[in-house]
Amino acid sequence: MEKPYFEGWYFKHQKGDDMIAFIPGKADSGAFVQMIAPTGSRFFAMPELTHQDGCIQVGNCIFSSAGCRVDLPGVHGEITYAALTPLKSDIMGPFRFFPMECRHSIISMSHSLYGSLCLDGQMYHFDGGMGYIEKDSGTSFPRAYQWVQCSAFPFPCSIMVSIARIPFYGIRFRGCICAIVLDGKHYRFATYDGARILVSSKEHIRLAQGQSLLEIDLKPSPSGHLLYAPKLGQMSDTIRECCNAEIQVRLWEKGALILDASSQHAACEFVTPEK
């Protein structure tokens, strides 16, 4: 009997208040594309998804490192991507060698966008906007986790933080992965590098690692929009994602403040298990 499995990619497009993200993927329950925007979210069941040579084709939609072509009911258009910004090494670190409930990959921390999308008759122009791409695969999303991503700052900066309860060989521990690209320099906080989670709440994150300290203040919307999430290979769970949350990020190294930036365009998810 085959082990339950899912895989999905997250293609985010942002320019100012306009944000549209697509999640092409497949699970044991079938192929799909999800879409999320400030106006709401949608789920499109698809007959199949193929992934070959970095190109994802699902229905009439194509997603790749070069851009996306979208043809869905009520949503269509094409966006081209400039050069991607991958991390220097796998964000999972040594955990990439172990079977994990959910394996996270960052494909591009930021890249420029060119093109437009038409959503319900309204045009959204993304020329000069910023994109972000990641991937998740495994059997299920964590039962409890927090995820924050933002690339819309006044200067070149992109951040992704994920904190989760992780099952690992019969135990559960709370771990974190965080990547920051600031003016071309890469910073990382991760459990496998000794990072400590000092605070993890819906409104505040505080991580410490060596002589580095990261603080994030968040003001998400009250509810966010519904997305379907994998549970034992089936897209049967639900989560909520906020598209345009307010965020304040501060990063210290050896006591010196090297980043102090704010944005009103962060994406975030905060999931707690049902009691």
mmCIF file of all heavy atoms in Angstrom, residues 199-231:
data_model
loop_
_atom_site.group_PDB
_atom_site.id
_atom_site.type_symbol
_atom_site.label_atom_id
_atom_site.label_comp_id
_atom_site.label_asym_id
_atom_site.label_seq_id
_atom_site.Cartn_x
_atom_site.Cartn_y
_atom_site.Cartn_z
ATOM 1 N N VAL A 199 9.278 33.635 21.266
ATOM 2 C CA VAL A 199 7.850 33.964 21.223
ATOM 3 C C VAL A 199 7.303 33.532 19.872
ATOM 4 O O VAL A 199 7.938 33.731 18.843
ATOM 5 C CB VAL A 199 7.589 35.479 21.417
ATOM 6 C CG1 VAL A 199 6.091 35.771 21.379
ATOM 7 C CG2 VAL A 199 8.189 35.980 22.714
ATOM 8 N N SER A 200 6.116 32.919 19.878
ATOM 9 C CA SER A 200 5.415 32.590 18.640
ATOM 10 C C SER A 200 3.923 32.732 18.893
ATOM 11 O O SER A 200 3.287 31.846 19.450
ATOM 12 C CB SER A 200 5.737 31.160 18.185
ATOM 13 O OG SER A 200 4.950 30.803 17.060
ATOM 14 N N SER A 201 3.368 33.873 18.513
ATOM 15 C CA SER A 201 1.941 34.130 18.656
ATOM 16 C C SER A 201 1.430 34.745 17.364
ATOM 17 O O SER A 201 2.207 35.048 16.450
ATOM 18 C CB SER A 201 1.661 35.068 19.832
ATOM 19 O OG SER A 201 2.101 36.379 19.543
ATOM 20 N N LYS A 202 0.143 34.936 17.280
ATOM 21 C CA LYS A 202 -0.454 35.485 16.066
ATOM 22 C C LYS A 202 0.043 36.895 15.777
ATOM 23 O O LYS A 202 0.074 37.321 14.624
ATOM 24 C CB LYS A 202 -1.981 35.485 16.199
ATOM 25 C CG LYS A 202 -2.722 35.594 14.880
ATOM 26 C CD LYS A 202 -4.196 35.356 15.083
ATOM 27 C CE LYS A 202 -4.938 35.348 13.738
ATOM 28 N NZ LYS A 202 -6.374 35.043 13.909
ATOM 29 N N GLU A 203 0.449 37.608 16.838
ATOM 30 C CA GLU A 203 0.857 39.000 16.673
ATOM 31 C C GLU A 203 2.356 39.222 16.824
ATOM 32 O O GLU A 203 2.841 40.311 16.516
ATOM 33 C CB GLU A 203 0.132 39.902 17.685
ATOM 34 C CG GLU A 203 -1.365 40.014 17.486
ATOM 35 C CD GLU A 203 -2.128 38.819 18.069
ATOM 36 O OE1 GLU A 203 -1.559 38.138 18.964
ATOM 37 O OE2 GLU A 203 -3.267 38.569 17.637
ATOM 38 N N HIS A 204 3.096 38.226 17.305
ATOM 39 C CA HIS A 204 4.514 38.492 17.573
ATOM 40 C C HIS A 204 5.350 37.224 17.435
ATOM 41 O O HIS A 204 4.942 36.145 17.868
ATOM 42 C CB HIS A 204 4.682 39.059 18.989
ATOM 43 C CG HIS A 204 6.064 39.573 19.272
ATOM 44 N ND1 HIS A 204 6.602 40.657 18.622
ATOM 45 C CD2 HIS A 204 7.021 39.131 20.129
ATOM 46 C CE1 HIS A 204 7.829 40.875 19.077
ATOM 47 N NE2 HIS A 204 8.106 39.961 19.981
ATOM 48 N N ILE A 205 6.517 37.371 16.810
ATOM 49 C CA ILE A 205 7.506 36.303 16.692
ATOM 50 C C ILE A 205 8.845 36.852 17.159
ATOM 51 O O ILE A 205 9.230 37.978 16.817
ATOM 52 C CB ILE A 205 7.630 35.807 15.237
ATOM 53 C CG1 ILE A 205 6.325 35.164 14.754
ATOM 54 C CG2 ILE A 205 8.786 34.822 15.081
ATOM 55 C CD1 ILE A 205 6.313 34.831 13.283
ATOM 56 N N ARG A 206 9.552 36.032 17.942
ATOM 57 C CA ARG A 206 10.891 36.427 18.384
ATOM 58 C C ARG A 206 11.784 35.194 18.345
ATOM 59 O O ARG A 206 11.518 34.197 19.014
ATOM 60 C CB ARG A 206 10.837 37.014 19.795
ATOM 61 C CG ARG A 206 12.095 37.778 20.190
ATOM 62 C CD ARG A 206 11.845 38.538 21.485
ATOM 63 N NE ARG A 206 12.897 39.504 21.738
ATOM 64 C CZ ARG A 206 13.547 39.607 22.898
ATOM 65 N NH1 ARG A 206 13.248 38.799 23.901
ATOM 66 N NH2 ARG A 206 14.480 40.520 23.052
ATOM 67 N N LEU A 207 12.844 35.264 17.528
ATOM 68 C CA LEU A 207 13.790 34.164 17.377
ATOM 69 C C LEU A 207 15.189 34.645 17.738
ATOM 70 O O LEU A 207 15.562 35.783 17.428
ATOM 71 C CB LEU A 207 13.809 33.652 15.931
ATOM 72 C CG LEU A 207 12.479 33.216 15.303
ATOM 73 C CD1 LEU A 207 12.705 32.804 13.860
ATOM 74 C CD2 LEU A 207 11.828 32.100 16.095
ATOM 75 N N ALA A 208 15.949 33.770 18.380
ATOM 76 C CA ALA A 208 17.338 34.085 18.716
ATOM 77 C C ALA A 208 18.230 32.951 18.236
ATOM 78 O O ALA A 208 17.882 31.773 18.333
ATOM 79 C CB ALA A 208 17.492 34.267 20.221
ATOM 80 N N GLN A 209 19.376 33.344 17.714
ATOM 81 C CA GLN A 209 20.354 32.343 17.240
ATOM 82 C C GLN A 209 21.746 32.948 17.358
ATOM 83 O O GLN A 209 22.052 33.931 16.675
ATOM 84 C CB GLN A 209 20.052 31.940 15.798
ATOM 85 C CG GLN A 209 21.012 30.893 15.224
ATOM 86 C CD GLN A 209 20.582 30.446 13.850
ATOM 87 O OE1 GLN A 209 19.551 29.813 13.675
ATOM 88 N NE2 GLN A 209 21.384 30.783 12.846
ATOM 89 N N GLY A 210 22.569 32.371 18.232
ATOM 90 C CA GLY A 210 23.891 32.944 18.433
ATOM 91 C C GLY A 210 23.789 34.391 18.874
ATOM 92 O O GLY A 210 23.116 34.708 19.861
ATOM 93 N N GLN A 211 24.414 35.283 18.135
ATOM 94 C CA GLN A 211 24.376 36.714 18.447
ATOM 95 C C GLN A 211 23.379 37.460 17.566
ATOM 96 O O GLN A 211 23.453 38.686 17.431
ATOM 97 C CB GLN A 211 25.765 37.322 18.302
ATOM 98 C CG GLN A 211 26.797 36.718 19.251
ATOM 99 C CD GLN A 211 28.128 37.439 19.173
ATOM 100 O OE1 GLN A 211 28.250 38.610 19.509
ATOM 101 N NE2 GLN A 211 29.156 36.727 18.706
ATOM 102 N N SER A 212 22.434 36.716 16.988
ATOM 103 C CA SER A 212 21.412 37.328 16.132
ATOM 104 C C SER A 212 20.050 37.237 16.805
ATOM 105 O O SER A 212 19.749 36.260 17.497
ATOM 106 C CB SER A 212 21.356 36.621 14.773
ATOM 107 O OG SER A 212 22.593 36.714 14.105
ATOM 108 N N LEU A 213 19.240 38.258 16.586
ATOM 109 C CA LEU A 213 17.898 38.314 17.156
ATOM 110 C C LEU A 213 16.939 38.859 16.101
ATOM 111 O O LEU A 213 17.231 39.861 15.440
ATOM 112 C CB LEU A 213 17.876 39.222 18.384
ATOM 113 C CG LEU A 213 16.524 39.415 19.086
ATOM 114 C CD1 LEU A 213 16.069 38.110 19.739
ATOM 115 C CD2 LEU A 213 16.606 40.529 20.124
ATOM 116 N N LEU A 214 15.804 38.184 15.934
ATOM 117 C CA LEU A 214 14.789 38.601 14.976
ATOM 118 C C LEU A 214 13.471 38.825 15.702
ATOM 119 O O LEU A 214 13.030 37.971 16.470
ATOM 120 C CB LEU A 214 14.597 37.534 13.891
ATOM 121 C CG LEU A 214 13.474 37.777 12.878
ATOM 122 C CD1 LEU A 214 13.792 38.967 11.987
ATOM 123 C CD2 LEU A 214 13.204 36.530 12.050
ATOM 124 N N GLU A 215 12.844 39.975 15.455
ATOM 125 C CA GLU A 215 11.531 40.271 16.014
ATOM 126 C C GLU A 215 10.575 40.659 14.887
ATOM 127 O O GLU A 215 10.937 41.444 14.002
ATOM 128 C CB GLU A 215 11.591 41.404 17.033
ATOM 129 C CG GLU A 215 12.206 41.016 18.353
ATOM 130 C CD GLU A 215 11.985 42.060 19.436
ATOM 131 O OE1 GLU A 215 11.662 43.212 19.083
ATOM 132 O OE2 GLU A 215 12.125 41.720 20.623
ATOM 133 N N ILE A 216 9.384 40.097 14.918
ATOM 134 C CA ILE A 216 8.357 40.410 13.924
ATOM 135 C C ILE A 216 7.060 40.723 14.654
ATOM 136 O O ILE A 216 6.597 39.932 15.489
ATOM 137 C CB ILE A 216 8.128 39.227 12.961
ATOM 138 C CG1 ILE A 216 9.415 38.891 12.203
ATOM 139 C CG2 ILE A 216 7.004 39.544 11.981
ATOM 140 C CD1 ILE A 216 9.295 37.661 11.319
ATOM 141 N N ASP A 217 6.495 41.882 14.372
ATOM 142 C CA ASP A 217 5.169 42.251 14.863
ATOM 143 C C ASP A 217 4.193 42.156 13.707
ATOM 144 O O ASP A 217 4.481 42.622 12.587
ATOM 145 C CB ASP A 217 5.160 43.660 15.435
ATOM 146 C CG ASP A 217 5.990 43.756 16.714
ATOM 147 O OD1 ASP A 217 5.796 42.911 17.597
ATOM 148 O OD2 ASP A 217 6.830 44.669 16.804
ATOM 149 N N LEU A 218 3.025 41.570 13.958
ATOM 150 C CA LEU A 218 2.035 41.333 12.914
ATOM 151 C C LEU A 218 0.676 41.880 13.315
ATOM 152 O O LEU A 218 0.301 41.828 14.487
ATOM 153 C CB LEU A 218 1.884 39.834 12.644
ATOM 154 C CG LEU A 218 2.997 39.132 11.886
ATOM 155 C CD1 LEU A 218 2.935 37.639 12.138
ATOM 156 C CD2 LEU A 218 2.885 39.417 10.397
ATOM 157 N N LYS A 219 -0.046 42.379 12.317
ATOM 158 C CA LYS A 219 -1.450 42.756 12.496
ATOM 159 C C LYS A 219 -2.252 42.107 11.368
ATOM 160 O O LYS A 219 -2.562 42.745 10.362
ATOM 161 C CB LYS A 219 -1.623 44.274 12.472
ATOM 162 C CG LYS A 219 -1.035 44.988 13.687
ATOM 163 C CD LYS A 219 -1.318 46.474 13.622
ATOM 164 C CE LYS A 219 -0.720 47.208 14.823
ATOM 165 N NZ LYS A 219 -0.963 48.677 14.732
ATOM 166 N N PRO A 220 -2.562 40.819 11.502
ATOM 167 C CA PRO A 220 -3.323 40.138 10.440
ATOM 168 C C PRO A 220 -4.785 40.541 10.481
ATOM 169 O O PRO A 220 -5.269 41.090 11.476
ATOM 170 C CB PRO A 220 -3.142 38.661 10.787
ATOM 171 C CG PRO A 220 -2.936 38.647 12.268
ATOM 172 C CD PRO A 220 -2.212 39.927 12.607
ATOM 173 N N SER A 221 -5.499 40.258 9.394
ATOM 174 C CA SER A 221 -6.930 40.500 9.371
ATOM 175 C C SER A 221 -7.604 39.502 10.307
ATOM 176 O O SER A 221 -7.036 38.462 10.634
ATOM 177 C CB SER A 221 -7.480 40.348 7.952
ATOM 178 O OG SER A 221 -7.307 39.029 7.499
ATOM 179 N N PRO A 222 -8.824 39.781 10.762
ATOM 180 C CA PRO A 222 -9.472 38.918 11.756
ATOM 181 C C PRO A 222 -9.650 37.469 11.327
ATOM 182 O O PRO A 222 -9.544 36.560 12.140
ATOM 183 C CB PRO A 222 -10.831 39.594 11.964
ATOM 184 C CG PRO A 222 -10.621 41.018 11.556
ATOM 185 C CD PRO A 222 -9.614 40.981 10.454
ATOM 186 N N SER A 223 -9.949 37.230 10.045
ATOM 187 C CA SER A 223 -10.278 35.863 9.650
ATOM 188 C C SER A 223 -9.376 35.293 8.559
ATOM 189 O O SER A 223 -8.971 34.139 8.612
ATOM 190 C CB SER A 223 -11.732 35.800 9.179
ATOM 191 O OG SER A 223 -11.928 36.685 8.088
ATOM 192 N N GLY A 224 -9.025 36.066 7.557
ATOM 193 C CA GLY A 224 -8.304 35.537 6.416
ATOM 194 C C GLY A 224 -9.234 34.753 5.506
ATOM 195 O O GLY A 224 -10.445 34.669 5.738
ATOM 196 N N HIS A 225 -8.682 34.175 4.447
ATOM 197 C CA HIS A 225 -9.481 33.436 3.473
ATOM 198 C C HIS A 225 -9.190 31.944 3.554
ATOM 199 O O HIS A 225 -8.066 31.518 3.812
ATOM 200 C CB HIS A 225 -9.199 33.945 2.064
ATOM 201 C CG HIS A 225 -9.501 35.396 1.882
ATOM 202 N ND1 HIS A 225 -10.740 35.933 2.127
ATOM 203 C CD2 HIS A 225 -8.707 36.433 1.496
ATOM 204 C CE1 HIS A 225 -10.723 37.238 1.889
ATOM 205 N NE2 HIS A 225 -9.495 37.556 1.503
ATOM 206 N N LEU A 226 -10.221 31.146 3.314
ATOM 207 C CA LEU A 226 -10.119 29.704 3.465
ATOM 208 C C LEU A 226 -9.320 29.069 2.331
ATOM 209 O O LEU A 226 -9.520 29.383 1.160
ATOM 210 C CB LEU A 226 -11.511 29.092 3.528
ATOM 211 C CG LEU A 226 -11.605 27.576 3.777
ATOM 212 C CD1 LEU A 226 -12.811 27.255 4.646
ATOM 213 C CD2 LEU A 226 -11.698 26.818 2.448
ATOM 214 N N LEU A 227 -8.405 28.168 2.705
ATOM 215 C CA LEU A 227 -7.690 27.325 1.762
ATOM 216 C C LEU A 227 -7.804 25.881 2.216
ATOM 217 O O LEU A 227 -7.894 25.608 3.420
ATOM 218 C CB LEU A 227 -6.212 27.713 1.686
ATOM 219 C CG LEU A 227 -5.852 29.070 1.083
ATOM 220 C CD1 LEU A 227 -4.358 29.341 1.253
ATOM 221 C CD2 LEU A 227 -6.236 29.143 -0.389
ATOM 222 N N TYR A 228 -7.789 24.949 1.261
ATOM 223 C CA TYR A 228 -7.773 23.538 1.608
ATOM 224 C C TYR A 228 -6.323 23.091 1.819
ATOM 225 O O TYR A 228 -5.407 23.549 1.133
ATOM 226 C CB TYR A 228 -8.442 22.710 0.516
ATOM 227 C CG TYR A 228 -9.939 22.894 0.507
ATOM 228 C CD1 TYR A 228 -10.541 23.846 -0.310
ATOM 229 C CD2 TYR A 228 -10.754 22.139 1.354
ATOM 230 C CE1 TYR A 228 -11.912 24.042 -0.307
ATOM 231 C CE2 TYR A 228 -12.123 22.323 1.368
ATOM 232 C CZ TYR A 228 -12.694 23.280 0.540
ATOM 233 O OH TYR A 228 -14.055 23.475 0.572
ATOM 234 N N ALA A 229 -6.141 22.200 2.787
ATOM 235 C CA ALA A 229 -4.803 21.750 3.154
ATOM 236 C C ALA A 229 -4.771 20.226 3.219
ATOM 237 O O ALA A 229 -5.794 19.584 3.465
ATOM 238 C CB ALA A 229 -4.404 22.344 4.507
ATOM 239 N N PRO A 230 -3.593 19.632 3.024
ATOM 240 C CA PRO A 230 -3.499 18.171 3.002
ATOM 241 C C PRO A 230 -3.523 17.560 4.409
ATOM 242 O O PRO A 230 -2.941 18.089 5.348
ATOM 243 C CB PRO A 230 -2.146 17.932 2.332
ATOM 244 C CG PRO A 230 -1.342 19.145 2.682
ATOM 245 C CD PRO A 230 -2.311 20.284 2.694
ATOM 246 N N LYS A 231 -4.204 16.422 4.498
ATOM 247 C CA LYS A 231 -4.216 15.625 5.716
ATOM 248 C C LYS A 231 -4.184 14.166 5.295
ATOM 249 O O LYS A 231 -5.133 13.661 4.670
ATOM 250 C CB LYS A 231 -5.457 15.920 6.557
ATOM 251 C CG LYS A 231 -5.491 15.196 7.893
ATOM 252 C CD LYS A 231 -6.701 15.611 8.707
ATOM 253 C CE LYS A 231 -6.721 14.920 10.068
ATOM 254 N NZ LYS A 231 -7.904 15.341 10.867
#
